[in-house]
Amino acid sequence: MRERFLTGYNNFVLPFLIGMVFILAWCAIGLIKIILQLPKEDRRRFFISLINPRTAWKNIKDIFCKCLLHVDIWKRNKLLGYMHSSIAFGWFMLILIGHIEVFLYVPHRAKLLYFPIFFRYFVAETDSTLGGNFLFFLMDFFLLVILSGIFLAIIKRLRSRFFGMRRTTNLSLLDYIGLYSLWCIFPLRLLAEGFTADISGGSFLTKSLNHVFTAFLGNHTNMLPTWWAYSIALGIFFVVLPFTRYMHIPTEILLIPLRNAGIRITNARKGLAKAQVYSCPSCGLCIDACPMGVMKTHIKDTTVYLNRQIRRNNERRIEEISDKCLLCGKCSAICPVGVEGDKLRIAQRSIRKYNISHDYSSVNTDALIAESSFSSPSGSKVLYFAGCMTALTPKIRKSMEEIFSCAGVEYELMDKDGGICCGRPMMMAGRVREAEEMIAKNTEIIKASGAGTLVLSCPICYKIFKEKYSLDMEVLHHTEYICRLLDEKRLKVEHSTARYVYHDPCELGRGCGIYDEPRSVISSAGELVEAEKHHRESICCGGSIGSLTLGFDKREAMVRNAIANLTACSPDVIVTACPLCKSTFDRYSDKPVEDIAEIIANNLETTY
Amino acid sequence: MDFGFGIAPSSAVNLDRVDLEKFERLHAAEPDVYKCMSCGSCSATCIAGRFSGMSVRKVLHCLQRGKENEAISMVKGCMLCGKCSMVCPRGINTRHVILSICRIYGEDTK
C-alpha cells in the first residue's frame, strides 16, 4: 500500500469533516445536558451502573444486539429486521474495517477523521497481498449488504405491507432530506470507489464495476466530482441528523445504559424523557399497534407523533395527544427502542396546573377499618378489595365470595359499602400528590385489618398496589389467588366442554406481566383458545380509564375491533380478568363475557 | 331561646347576581355540560360520595346557580375513578369535566 498524495488531503473531505465535527459536538453537548438533567440520585445510580461489571456487560450486549443487529425487529418481521441490520451493521463494519485498514497500512494517518472513510482515494494498493485482498473483499461485501438494505428501504417506502406494516409514519421535510441523503451515501460510495478501483484496487464489486463501465469509470476526470458528491451526501446527512428521526441512532446508545441503570421518568421533558423522545426512530410500529388506530382520526395521536411534537415543543398538540391515549401500553411493549409511550404521557399530564386540588384529609377511615378488620388477625386471613370497577360488575364479587367460602378461606371485604379508590386512575391523570394521599389512606385501612393476604379483582388496582404501596403482606390478583387454590387442591372444578378465549387485560398482562395464571385457571374449567393477538400484543378493550378526553360514546369502533380479535377463533365465552374489560365488552359483544372468577364459581364441584 | 329548630336560610338563587363567566368558559371547554339531565346515575355510582358528598350532578347544578364554593368543596373529594363517565346515559365525559372544573374554577374563590 502506498499513499497517493503526500499531503493526505483533498478539499472534497471538507463537507464530510464539517458534518462530522458538527454531529460529534452536538451529541457531546446533548449527552452532557441529559446527564445533568437527571436527578442527583439517578445520576449516581447511572454512573455506578456503568462501572458495575454486570450492567456494563448488559449494556454492551444490548447496544450490539439492539443498535446494530436489531434483534427485536428481526423477531417482528424478518425482512424488516434484515433491512435495519444490513444498513446499521454493514455501516458499522465499513467504519470498523476502514479503521483497521488505516491502522495497518498508514498508521501515521490514524488521527485524521476522514481517512478511513475515503481510504481508497488516498491509498493505492501496490501489490496485492492476502490480507489486503481480504480486507478489500470485506469492504465490498459489506457495501453490498448495505446496498441491499437500501434497496429494501426504497421498496418499504412504496409498499410497507411487504414488511408487515400496515401504516407508516408521515415524514417531515427534514426527515425526507435525511432519508434521501442516507439513500445516496452508499450508491455514491460504490460509484466513487468504482472510479478508483483501477488505481487503488478493489474487490468483486468495485473492480467488476470498473471493468464493466470502463468507458465511464475509466475516465478519471469524473473521479473527483463523484468523491465530492459522496462527501457532500455524508455531510448533509450529518448536518440534518439532529433535526431528523435519525437522531435515534446516537441517542439510543445513551438510552440503553440509562434503562439498564433502572432510571425512571421523573421529568416530563428532561433527562430520561428527553432521551426517549430523541430515541424514537419514527418507524411507526406503534401506529399499527395502537388500539385507537381503528379510527383514522386518531392516527396522529400515536406515540411516534407525541415524540415529534415534544421535539417541536408544540404544547397544544402534546396536551391533545397525551390526554387522548388509553394508556394500554401496547406501544411501549412493541417499541423496538423502548420508548415508554404510556409513562411519557403520564409525565406530560403531571405538569398540568390545576387550581383546585383534591383533598381527602377529611375522609374518615374509622368506619372502613371497623368494616374490614378481623377480630383475631392472622397471616392466613384474606382481605378482599373488589375495587371501584367491580362495583359495576357485582357478579365478580359474588363469585369471589363463593370461591372463598367454598375453599374455606377466612376473608373480609374491604369495600363492602364502597371504599377509597386505589389511586391508579388519579395517577393516570398525572396527579401524583392526590394519588399518594389515597394510597396513604388505604394503607392505613389494610394495615389495621390484620390480614395476611390482600386479594384484588381489578388489574387497575393491582398495578398500583404492586408498584406504589408498601404493605408487608402478599398482594395477589384474584387470578393468581384462584390458581393457587386450584394448585393446592383447595378448590375442585368440573372441566366443561366450553371453549373459552382469554382476553389479557392491559394492566394485568403488559402492566404486571401476569399471563400464565389466568390461562392455567381457565384450562382447568374448559378448553382454552387463544385470540388472534394475545399476551403482550393483546388489544385494549377500549374501556380504559387511561384516556381523559375520549368519551365512552366515541369508543365503539375500538371495542368492536377488540371483540373481533377475540372471537376470531369462535369461542363460546369471552373470559377476562378485569371488571372494566368485562363491562366494556358487555356493551357490544354477541358472545357472553365472563370474568375468570365467574366461570370458576359456575363450575365448582358442588359435592366438595 | 332554643326551640330545637330554626328557620332554614333561604335557598333562593338570584340568577341576576350570578356571574356565569366561568361556567361559560367551562361550557366552551366541555360542550357536554348542558347535556346533563340530572338523572343521578353518577351520584349513585360515586365512591367519593360516601365520604364527601361528591355528586357530579349536584356540582353542575351548583355551578350553574353560582354556588361555586359548594361545588368546589364537592369536587375536592372526587377520586377520579371514572365510574360516573361509564354509567352516564348521556355519554358525558364527566371525568374530564371534573378536570376542567379544577382548571377553570378556584382561581379566586376560597
Side-chain angles (χ1 to χ4, degrees), chain A residues 388-420:
Chain A
C388 317
M389 296 305 152
T390 316
L392 292 181
T393 51
K395 247 176 113 181
I396 298 178
R397 176 199 294 199
K398 255 188 202 158
S399 307
M400 277 311 289
E401 289 196 65
E402 217 171 295
I403 289 167
F404 282 133
S405 43
C406 188
V409 178
E410 209 176 322
Y411 71 97
E412 203 64 66
L413 297 172
M414 186 171 144
D415 51 352
K416 202 184 295 170
D417 198 20
I420 300 165

PDB file of all heavy atoms in Angstrom, chain A residues 388-420:
ATOM      1  N   CYS A 388     -63.288  -0.221  42.680  1.00  0.00           N
ATOM      2  CA  CYS A 388     -64.424   0.577  42.195  1.00  0.00           C
ATOM      3  C   CYS A 388     -65.113  -0.077  41.014  1.00  0.00           C
ATOM      4  O   CYS A 388     -66.331  -0.137  40.940  1.00  0.00           O
ATOM      5  CB  CYS A 388     -63.967   1.952  41.739  1.00  0.00           C
ATOM      6  SG  CYS A 388     -62.810   2.752  42.786  1.00  0.00           S
ATOM      7  N   MET A 389     -64.306  -0.547  40.073  1.00  0.00           N
ATOM      8  CA  MET A 389     -64.888  -1.062  38.834  1.00  0.00           C
ATOM      9  C   MET A 389     -65.744  -2.294  39.090  1.00  0.00           C
ATOM     10  O   MET A 389     -66.735  -2.532  38.421  1.00  0.00           O
ATOM     11  CB  MET A 389     -63.790  -1.407  37.829  1.00  0.00           C
ATOM     12  CG  MET A 389     -62.994  -0.214  37.388  1.00  0.00           C
ATOM     13  SD  MET A 389     -64.047   1.080  36.740  1.00  0.00           S
ATOM     14  CE  MET A 389     -63.048   2.499  37.104  1.00  0.00           C
ATOM     15  N   THR A 390     -65.333  -3.088  40.060  1.00  0.00           N
ATOM     16  CA  THR A 390     -66.082  -4.294  40.377  1.00  0.00           C
ATOM     17  C   THR A 390     -67.470  -3.938  40.910  1.00  0.00           C
ATOM     18  O   THR A 390     -68.400  -4.739  40.835  1.00  0.00           O
ATOM     19  CB  THR A 390     -65.304  -5.148  41.389  1.00  0.00           C
ATOM     20  OG1 THR A 390     -63.950  -5.179  40.967  1.00  0.00           O
ATOM     21  CG2 THR A 390     -65.817  -6.554  41.456  1.00  0.00           C
ATOM     22  N   ALA A 391     -67.607  -2.720  41.432  1.00  0.00           N
ATOM     23  CA  ALA A 391     -68.928  -2.300  41.902  1.00  0.00           C
ATOM     24  C   ALA A 391     -69.920  -2.220  40.741  1.00  0.00           C
ATOM     25  O   ALA A 391     -71.130  -2.333  40.949  1.00  0.00           O
ATOM     26  CB  ALA A 391     -68.810  -0.947  42.592  1.00  0.00           C
ATOM     27  N   LEU A 392     -69.408  -2.030  39.535  1.00  0.00           N
ATOM     28  CA  LEU A 392     -70.301  -2.002  38.366  1.00  0.00           C
ATOM     29  C   LEU A 392     -70.586  -3.396  37.837  1.00  0.00           C
ATOM     30  O   LEU A 392     -71.488  -3.593  37.032  1.00  0.00           O
ATOM     31  CB  LEU A 392     -69.677  -1.161  37.240  1.00  0.00           C
ATOM     32  CG  LEU A 392     -69.547   0.340  37.483  1.00  0.00           C
ATOM     33  CD1 LEU A 392     -68.945   1.012  36.266  1.00  0.00           C
ATOM     34  CD2 LEU A 392     -70.895   0.956  37.798  1.00  0.00           C
ATOM     35  N   THR A 393     -69.784  -4.377  38.262  1.00  0.00           N
ATOM     36  CA  THR A 393     -70.000  -5.764  37.830  1.00  0.00           C
ATOM     37  C   THR A 393     -70.048  -6.633  39.088  1.00  0.00           C
ATOM     38  O   THR A 393     -69.126  -7.401  39.342  1.00  0.00           O
ATOM     39  CB  THR A 393     -68.848  -6.243  36.924  1.00  0.00           C
ATOM     40  OG1 THR A 393     -67.621  -5.947  37.598  1.00  0.00           O
ATOM     41  CG2 THR A 393     -68.851  -5.582  35.580  1.00  0.00           C
ATOM     42  N   PRO A 394     -71.115  -6.503  39.872  1.00  0.00           N
ATOM     43  CA  PRO A 394     -71.140  -7.150  41.201  1.00  0.00           C
ATOM     44  C   PRO A 394     -71.047  -8.673  41.143  1.00  0.00           C
ATOM     45  O   PRO A 394     -70.756  -9.309  42.147  1.00  0.00           O
ATOM     46  CB  PRO A 394     -72.480  -6.701  41.788  1.00  0.00           C
ATOM     47  CG  PRO A 394     -73.276  -6.163  40.660  1.00  0.00           C
ATOM     48  CD  PRO A 394     -72.325  -5.737  39.600  1.00  0.00           C
ATOM     49  N   LYS A 395     -71.295  -9.251  39.971  1.00  0.00           N
ATOM     50  CA  LYS A 395     -71.223 -10.710  39.868  1.00  0.00           C
ATOM     51  C   LYS A 395     -69.824 -11.221  40.200  1.00  0.00           C
ATOM     52  O   LYS A 395     -69.668 -12.322  40.714  1.00  0.00           O
ATOM     53  CB  LYS A 395     -71.589 -11.146  38.448  1.00  0.00           C
ATOM     54  CG  LYS A 395     -72.904 -11.922  38.380  1.00  0.00           C
ATOM     55  CD  LYS A 395     -73.245 -12.243  36.957  1.00  0.00           C
ATOM     56  CE  LYS A 395     -73.172 -13.723  36.678  1.00  0.00           C
ATOM     57  NZ  LYS A 395     -73.491 -13.988  35.261  1.00  0.00           N
ATOM     58  N   ILE A 396     -68.829 -10.413  39.869  1.00  0.00           N
ATOM     59  CA  ILE A 396     -67.451 -10.834  40.134  1.00  0.00           C
ATOM     60  C   ILE A 396     -67.235 -10.962  41.639  1.00  0.00           C
ATOM     61  O   ILE A 396     -66.688 -11.947  42.123  1.00  0.00           O
ATOM     62  CB  ILE A 396     -66.455  -9.826  39.527  1.00  0.00           C
ATOM     63  CG1 ILE A 396     -66.612  -9.773  38.009  1.00  0.00           C
ATOM     64  CG2 ILE A 396     -65.025 -10.190  39.901  1.00  0.00           C
ATOM     65  CD1 ILE A 396     -65.721  -8.783  37.320  1.00  0.00           C
ATOM     66  N   ARG A 397     -67.712  -9.984  42.369  1.00  0.00           N
ATOM     67  CA  ARG A 397     -67.530 -10.038  43.815  1.00  0.00           C
ATOM     68  C   ARG A 397     -68.280 -11.224  44.415  1.00  0.00           C
ATOM     69  O   ARG A 397     -67.740 -11.953  45.252  1.00  0.00           O
ATOM     70  CB  ARG A 397     -68.036  -8.738  44.450  1.00  0.00           C
ATOM     71  CG  ARG A 397     -67.953  -8.778  45.951  1.00  0.00           C
ATOM     72  CD  ARG A 397     -68.822  -7.758  46.579  1.00  0.00           C
ATOM     73  NE  ARG A 397     -68.331  -6.412  46.257  1.00  0.00           N
ATOM     74  CZ  ARG A 397     -68.665  -5.336  46.956  1.00  0.00           C
ATOM     75  NH1 ARG A 397     -69.484  -5.460  47.975  1.00  0.00           N
ATOM     76  NH2 ARG A 397     -68.210  -4.173  46.631  1.00  0.00           N
ATOM     77  N   LYS A 398     -69.504 -11.434  43.916  1.00  0.00           N
ATOM     78  CA  LYS A 398     -70.296 -12.567  44.422  1.00  0.00           C
ATOM     79  C   LYS A 398     -69.559 -13.874  44.168  1.00  0.00           C
ATOM     80  O   LYS A 398     -69.487 -14.750  45.042  1.00  0.00           O
ATOM     81  CB  LYS A 398     -71.651 -12.596  43.703  1.00  0.00           C
ATOM     82  CG  LYS A 398     -72.783 -12.102  44.569  1.00  0.00           C
ATOM     83  CD  LYS A 398     -74.095 -12.355  43.856  1.00  0.00           C
ATOM     84  CE  LYS A 398     -75.168 -11.440  44.399  1.00  0.00           C
ATOM     85  NZ  LYS A 398     -76.262 -11.272  43.461  1.00  0.00           N
ATOM     86  N   SER A 399     -69.033 -14.009  42.945  1.00  0.00           N
ATOM     87  CA  SER A 399     -68.318 -15.239  42.603  1.00  0.00           C
ATOM     88  C   SER A 399     -67.113 -15.420  43.496  1.00  0.00           C
ATOM     89  O   SER A 399     -66.812 -16.531  43.948  1.00  0.00           O
ATOM     90  CB  SER A 399     -67.861 -15.196  41.149  1.00  0.00           C
ATOM     91  OG  SER A 399     -68.936 -14.907  40.308  1.00  0.00           O
ATOM     92  N   MET A 400     -66.412 -14.323  43.751  1.00  0.00           N
ATOM     93  CA  MET A 400     -65.228 -14.423  44.602  1.00  0.00           C
ATOM     94  C   MET A 400     -65.624 -14.864  46.007  1.00  0.00           C
ATOM     95  O   MET A 400     -64.952 -15.704  46.609  1.00  0.00           O
ATOM     96  CB  MET A 400     -64.498 -13.082  44.670  1.00  0.00           C
ATOM     97  CG  MET A 400     -63.558 -12.791  43.519  1.00  0.00           C
ATOM     98  SD  MET A 400     -62.426 -14.118  43.113  1.00  0.00           S
ATOM     99  CE  MET A 400     -61.325 -14.091  44.509  1.00  0.00           C
ATOM    100  N   GLU A 401     -66.732 -14.318  46.499  1.00  0.00           N
ATOM    101  CA  GLU A 401     -67.172 -14.709  47.844  1.00  0.00           C
ATOM    102  C   GLU A 401     -67.503 -16.192  47.886  1.00  0.00           C
ATOM    103  O   GLU A 401     -67.190 -16.901  48.840  1.00  0.00           O
ATOM    104  CB  GLU A 401     -68.388 -13.874  48.261  1.00  0.00           C
ATOM    105  CG  GLU A 401     -68.013 -12.430  48.548  1.00  0.00           C
ATOM    106  CD  GLU A 401     -69.093 -11.695  49.315  1.00  0.00           C
ATOM    107  OE1 GLU A 401     -69.342 -12.077  50.464  1.00  0.00           O
ATOM    108  OE2 GLU A 401     -69.682 -10.755  48.757  1.00  0.00           O
ATOM    109  N   GLU A 402     -68.128 -16.662  46.789  1.00  0.00           N
ATOM    110  CA  GLU A 402     -68.473 -18.082  46.689  1.00  0.00           C
ATOM    111  C   GLU A 402     -67.202 -18.928  46.724  1.00  0.00           C
ATOM    112  O   GLU A 402     -67.131 -19.949  47.414  1.00  0.00           O
ATOM    113  CB  GLU A 402     -69.189 -18.302  45.355  1.00  0.00           C
ATOM    114  CG  GLU A 402     -70.316 -19.309  45.400  1.00  0.00           C
ATOM    115  CD  GLU A 402     -71.072 -19.268  44.089  1.00  0.00           C
ATOM    116  OE1 GLU A 402     -71.692 -18.226  43.777  1.00  0.00           O
ATOM    117  OE2 GLU A 402     -70.994 -20.267  43.366  1.00  0.00           O
ATOM    118  N   ILE A 403     -66.204 -18.476  45.954  1.00  0.00           N
ATOM    119  CA  ILE A 403     -64.946 -19.217  45.882  1.00  0.00           C
ATOM    120  C   ILE A 403     -64.269 -19.240  47.248  1.00  0.00           C
ATOM    121  O   ILE A 403     -63.815 -20.285  47.716  1.00  0.00           O
ATOM    122  CB  ILE A 403     -64.023 -18.593  44.814  1.00  0.00           C
ATOM    123  CG1 ILE A 403     -64.579 -18.893  43.418  1.00  0.00           C
ATOM    124  CG2 ILE A 403     -62.600 -19.111  44.938  1.00  0.00           C
ATOM    125  CD1 ILE A 403     -63.949 -18.098  42.313  1.00  0.00           C
ATOM    126  N   PHE A 404     -64.237 -18.082  47.906  1.00  0.00           N
ATOM    127  CA  PHE A 404     -63.615 -18.013  49.231  1.00  0.00           C
ATOM    128  C   PHE A 404     -64.280 -18.996  50.185  1.00  0.00           C
ATOM    129  O   PHE A 404     -63.608 -19.781  50.856  1.00  0.00           O
ATOM    130  CB  PHE A 404     -63.747 -16.603  49.821  1.00  0.00           C
ATOM    131  CG  PHE A 404     -62.774 -15.610  49.260  1.00  0.00           C
ATOM    132  CD1 PHE A 404     -63.195 -14.353  48.849  1.00  0.00           C
ATOM    133  CD2 PHE A 404     -61.431 -15.917  49.151  1.00  0.00           C
ATOM    134  CE1 PHE A 404     -62.298 -13.429  48.349  1.00  0.00           C
ATOM    135  CE2 PHE A 404     -60.524 -14.994  48.644  1.00  0.00           C
ATOM    136  CZ  PHE A 404     -60.976 -13.746  48.244  1.00  0.00           C
ATOM    137  N   SER A 405     -65.619 -18.971  50.216  1.00  0.00           N
ATOM    138  CA  SER A 405     -66.268 -19.818  51.211  1.00  0.00           C
ATOM    139  C   SER A 405     -66.162 -21.287  50.826  1.00  0.00           C
ATOM    140  O   SER A 405     -66.080 -22.147  51.695  1.00  0.00           O
ATOM    141  CB  SER A 405     -67.723 -19.398  51.433  1.00  0.00           C
ATOM    142  OG  SER A 405     -68.326 -19.131  50.211  1.00  0.00           O
ATOM    143  N   CYS A 406     -66.137 -21.568  49.533  1.00  0.00           N
ATOM    144  CA  CYS A 406     -66.006 -22.960  49.092  1.00  0.00           C
ATOM    145  C   CYS A 406     -64.644 -23.519  49.481  1.00  0.00           C
ATOM    146  O   CYS A 406     -64.505 -24.683  49.830  1.00  0.00           O
ATOM    147  CB  CYS A 406     -66.214 -23.032  47.590  1.00  0.00           C
ATOM    148  SG  CYS A 406     -66.289 -24.693  46.976  1.00  0.00           S
ATOM    149  N   ALA A 407     -63.609 -22.653  49.385  1.00  0.00           N
ATOM    150  CA  ALA A 407     -62.261 -23.112  49.720  1.00  0.00           C
ATOM    151  C   ALA A 407     -62.003 -23.010  51.221  1.00  0.00           C
ATOM    152  O   ALA A 407     -60.913 -23.340  51.685  1.00  0.00           O
ATOM    153  CB  ALA A 407     -61.235 -22.290  48.958  1.00  0.00           C
ATOM    154  N   GLY A 408     -63.008 -22.542  51.949  1.00  0.00           N
ATOM    155  CA  GLY A 408     -62.847 -22.438  53.397  1.00  0.00           C
ATOM    156  C   GLY A 408     -61.859 -21.363  53.824  1.00  0.00           C
ATOM    157  O   GLY A 408     -61.142 -21.524  54.807  1.00  0.00           O
ATOM    158  N   VAL A 409     -61.808 -20.291  53.056  1.00  0.00           N
ATOM    159  CA  VAL A 409     -60.884 -19.209  53.396  1.00  0.00           C
ATOM    160  C   VAL A 409     -61.608 -18.212  54.288  1.00  0.00           C
ATOM    161  O   VAL A 409     -62.754 -17.859  54.022  1.00  0.00           O
ATOM    162  CB  VAL A 409     -60.401 -18.490  52.111  1.00  0.00           C
ATOM    163  CG1 VAL A 409     -59.477 -17.334  52.459  1.00  0.00           C
ATOM    164  CG2 VAL A 409     -59.721 -19.460  51.174  1.00  0.00           C
ATOM    165  N   GLU A 410     -60.917 -17.771  55.304  1.00  0.00           N
ATOM    166  CA  GLU A 410     -61.497 -16.736  56.150  1.00  0.00           C
ATOM    167  C   GLU A 410     -61.203 -15.389  55.506  1.00  0.00           C
ATOM    168  O   GLU A 410     -60.039 -15.028  55.335  1.00  0.00           O
ATOM    169  CB  GLU A 410     -60.877 -16.807  57.542  1.00  0.00           C
ATOM    170  CG  GLU A 410     -61.824 -16.319  58.608  1.00  0.00           C
ATOM    171  CD  GLU A 410     -61.216 -16.489  59.985  1.00  0.00           C
ATOM    172  OE1 GLU A 410     -60.529 -17.510  60.215  1.00  0.00           O
ATOM    173  OE2 GLU A 410     -61.435 -15.601  60.809  1.00  0.00           O
ATOM    174  N   TYR A 411     -62.227 -14.707  55.119  1.00  0.00           N
ATOM    175  CA  TYR A 411     -61.988 -13.465  54.373  1.00  0.00           C
ATOM    176  C   TYR A 411     -62.852 -12.333  54.913  1.00  0.00           C
ATOM    177  O   TYR A 411     -63.835 -12.560  55.618  1.00  0.00           O
ATOM    178  CB  TYR A 411     -62.280 -13.680  52.886  1.00  0.00           C
ATOM    179  CG  TYR A 411     -63.747 -13.836  52.569  1.00  0.00           C
ATOM    180  CD1 TYR A 411     -64.494 -12.740  52.114  1.00  0.00           C
ATOM    181  CD2 TYR A 411     -64.400 -15.056  52.745  1.00  0.00           C
ATOM    182  CE1 TYR A 411     -65.839 -12.871  51.850  1.00  0.00           C
ATOM    183  CE2 TYR A 411     -65.744 -15.184  52.480  1.00  0.00           C
ATOM    184  CZ  TYR A 411     -66.468 -14.096  52.039  1.00  0.00           C
ATOM    185  OH  TYR A 411     -67.800 -14.219  51.777  1.00  0.00           O
ATOM    186  N   GLU A 412     -62.461 -11.143  54.537  1.00  0.00           N
ATOM    187  CA  GLU A 412     -63.229  -9.960  54.905  1.00  0.00           C
ATOM    188  C   GLU A 412     -63.240  -9.032  53.693  1.00  0.00           C
ATOM    189  O   GLU A 412     -62.271  -8.980  52.936  1.00  0.00           O
ATOM    190  CB  GLU A 412     -62.556  -9.278  56.105  1.00  0.00           C
ATOM    191  CG  GLU A 412     -63.449  -8.396  56.936  1.00  0.00           C
ATOM    192  CD  GLU A 412     -64.578  -9.143  57.624  1.00  0.00           C
ATOM    193  OE1 GLU A 412     -64.291  -9.976  58.514  1.00  0.00           O
ATOM    194  OE2 GLU A 412     -65.736  -8.897  57.264  1.00  0.00           O
ATOM    195  N   LEU A 413     -64.343  -8.324  53.490  1.00  0.00           N
ATOM    196  CA  LEU A 413     -64.418  -7.402  52.357  1.00  0.00           C
ATOM    197  C   LEU A 413     -63.912  -6.029  52.788  1.00  0.00           C
ATOM    198  O   LEU A 413     -64.278  -5.538  53.857  1.00  0.00           O
ATOM    199  CB  LEU A 413     -65.856  -7.274  51.868  1.00  0.00           C
ATOM    200  CG  LEU A 413     -66.478  -8.549  51.331  1.00  0.00           C
ATOM    201  CD1 LEU A 413     -67.969  -8.329  51.072  1.00  0.00           C
ATOM    202  CD2 LEU A 413     -65.810  -8.974  50.044  1.00  0.00           C
ATOM    203  N   MET A 414     -63.092  -5.447  51.960  1.00  0.00           N
ATOM    204  CA  MET A 414     -62.517  -4.160  52.340  1.00  0.00           C
ATOM    205  C   MET A 414     -63.418  -3.013  51.897  1.00  0.00           C
ATOM    206  O   MET A 414     -63.410  -1.943  52.485  1.00  0.00           O
ATOM    207  CB  MET A 414     -61.137  -4.020  51.694  1.00  0.00           C
ATOM    208  CG  MET A 414     -60.388  -2.795  52.124  1.00  0.00           C
ATOM    209  SD  MET A 414     -58.714  -2.857  51.514  1.00  0.00           S
ATOM    210  CE  MET A 414     -58.429  -1.136  51.156  1.00  0.00           C
ATOM    211  N   ASP A 415     -64.175  -3.221  50.830  1.00  0.00           N
ATOM    212  CA  ASP A 415     -65.019  -2.127  50.344  1.00  0.00           C
ATOM    213  C   ASP A 415     -66.448  -2.615  50.113  1.00  0.00           C
ATOM    214  O   ASP A 415     -66.988  -2.520  49.030  1.00  0.00           O
ATOM    215  CB  ASP A 415     -64.442  -1.501  49.067  1.00  0.00           C
ATOM    216  CG  ASP A 415     -64.124  -2.539  48.012  1.00  0.00           C
ATOM    217  OD1 ASP A 415     -64.204  -3.739  48.316  1.00  0.00           O
ATOM    218  OD2 ASP A 415     -63.801  -2.151  46.874  1.00  0.00           O
ATOM    219  N   LYS A 416     -67.003  -3.176  51.188  1.00  0.00           N
ATOM    220  CA  LYS A 416     -68.357  -3.719  51.098  1.00  0.00           C
ATOM    221  C   LYS A 416     -69.333  -2.629  50.672  1.00  0.00           C
ATOM    222  O   LYS A 416     -70.162  -2.810  49.795  1.00  0.00           O
ATOM    223  CB  LYS A 416     -68.762  -4.267  52.484  1.00  0.00           C
ATOM    224  CG  LYS A 416     -69.866  -5.294  52.427  1.00  0.00           C
ATOM    225  CD  LYS A 416     -70.265  -5.715  53.834  1.00  0.00           C
ATOM    226  CE  LYS A 416     -69.125  -6.443  54.545  1.00  0.00           C
ATOM    227  NZ  LYS A 416     -69.371  -6.657  55.968  1.00  0.00           N
ATOM    228  N   ASP A 417     -69.190  -1.498  51.309  1.00  0.00           N
ATOM    229  CA  ASP A 417     -70.123  -0.408  51.039  1.00  0.00           C
ATOM    230  C   ASP A 417     -69.388   0.751  50.355  1.00  0.00           C
ATOM    231  O   ASP A 417     -69.639   1.904  50.625  1.00  0.00           O
ATOM    232  CB  ASP A 417     -70.738   0.041  52.369  1.00  0.00           C
ATOM    233  CG  ASP A 417     -72.016   0.831  52.146  1.00  0.00           C
ATOM    234  OD1 ASP A 417     -72.591   0.695  51.048  1.00  0.00           O
ATOM    235  OD2 ASP A 417     -72.398   1.585  53.051  1.00  0.00           O
ATOM    236  N   GLY A 418     -68.462   0.395  49.495  1.00  0.00           N
ATOM    237  CA  GLY A 418     -67.675   1.422  48.809  1.00  0.00           C
ATOM    238  C   GLY A 418     -66.469   1.799  49.633  1.00  0.00           C
ATOM    239  O   GLY A 418     -66.590   2.091  50.819  1.00  0.00           O
ATOM    240  N   GLY A 419     -65.313   1.753  49.015  1.00  0.00           N
ATOM    241  CA  GLY A 419     -64.090   2.107  49.733  1.00  0.00           C
ATOM    242  C   GLY A 419     -63.425   3.300  49.075  1.00  0.00           C
ATOM    243  O   GLY A 419     -64.033   3.992  48.260  1.00  0.00           O
ATOM    244  N   ILE A 420     -62.178   3.496  49.434  1.00  0.00           N
ATOM    245  CA  ILE A 420     -61.414   4.586  48.819  1.00  0.00           C
ATOM    246  C   ILE A 420     -60.746   4.036  47.561  1.00  0.00           C
ATOM    247  O   ILE A 420     -60.262   2.909  47.555  1.00  0.00           O
ATOM    248  CB  ILE A 420     -60.364   5.120  49.814  1.00  0.00           C
ATOM    249  CG1 ILE A 420     -61.073   5.645  51.053  1.00  0.00           C
ATOM    250  CG2 ILE A 420     -59.511   6.192  49.177  1.00  0.00           C
ATOM    251  CD1 ILE A 420     -60.162   5.868  52.226  1.00  0.00           C
TER     252      ILE A 420
END
